[in-house]
Amino acid sequence: MGPKFFDNIKAVGFDFDDTLVDEQYSIKKRWEKVLNDYHFLSPLIKDTFFKVYSQKDPSYKFHLDDTLSKLNIDKKNKNKILLQFRVTASNDELLCKGALNFLKNLKKKGILVGIITDGEQSRQKERIKKAGIYKL
């Protein structure tokens, strides 16, 4: 890209997850928080879950099922755990390498920056703030 590449660009939109922030980092942090609350079911629940998680693709939808099965934990706990996961937020967000500098450079050039995300507005707004890019 030459120095004049952005001359005619007025605005740039970005997807939030896996473009600006590492979505898997956020998901893992949320699972850690939730599974810490459920250690009373088994002291091994978090370690077992993340072992299953590392062995399977993140898109695999049965990490929790496999964990409960391996630990002989009653499946009736699944829905409570999943509900808590859905409402749990990560304490922080991990920006992708170079994302912050790139956004700052766009702003310096007077280019409007937008974020496109399909998450719930209030949750995503907080995630964007935690990532440190809300004011950009």
Side-chain angles (χ1 to χ4, degrees), residues 26-51:
S26 177
I27 289 170
K28 287 177 184 176
K29 290 295 185 180
R30 290 169 55 208
W31 274 118
E32 283 178 10
K33 286 174 75 172
V34 170
L35 295 172
N36 282 337
D37 290 346
Y38 282 89
H39 77 281
F40 65 89
L41 294 174
S42 168
L44 300 174
I45 193 167
K46 186 166 77 171
D47 290 339
T48 303
F49 177 87
F50 282 109
K51 189 173 188 177

Side-chain angles (χ1 to χ4, degrees), residues 15-31:
D15 182 29
F16 186 61
D17 288 314
D18 293 329
T19 302
L20 296 176
V21 296
D22 182 337
E23 182 179 22
Q24 288 307 309
Y25 175 86
S26 177
I27 289 170
K28 287 177 184 176
K29 290 295 185 180
R30 290 169 55 208
W31 274 118

Side-chain angles (χ1 to χ4, degrees), residues 95-124:
L95 282 172
C96 293
K97 185 178 179 183
L100 182 60
N101 285 337
F102 188 63
L103 293 173
K104 285 181 178 179
N105 284 329
L106 290 174
K107 292 304 283 184
K108 281 182 193 174
K109 294 182 178 297
I111 297 172
L112 296 173
V113 174
I115 295 175
I116 302 162
T117 182
D118 62 355
E120 182 182 317
Q121 184 177 357
S122 61
R123 171 185 264 166
Q124 295 300 74

Side-chain angles (χ1 to χ4, degrees), residues 1-9 102 109:
M1 285 187 290
K4 296 187 180 240
F5 179 80
F6 290 103
D7 284 356
N8 294 319
I9 295 175
F102 188 63
K109 294 182 178 297

Side-chain angles (χ1 to χ4, degrees), residues 74-103:
D74 193 330
K75 299 271 194 238
K76 71 179 181 184
N77 294 289
K78 177 184 172 182
N79 287 337
K80 289 186 280 187
I81 295 170
L82 287 175
L83 179 62
Q84 185 172 339
F85 176 75
R86 286 185 193 106
V87 300
T88 297
S90 177
N91 290 336
D92 61 347
E93 295 290 338
L94 179 64
L95 282 172
C96 293
K97 185 178 179 183
L100 182 60
N101 285 337
F102 188 63
L103 293 173

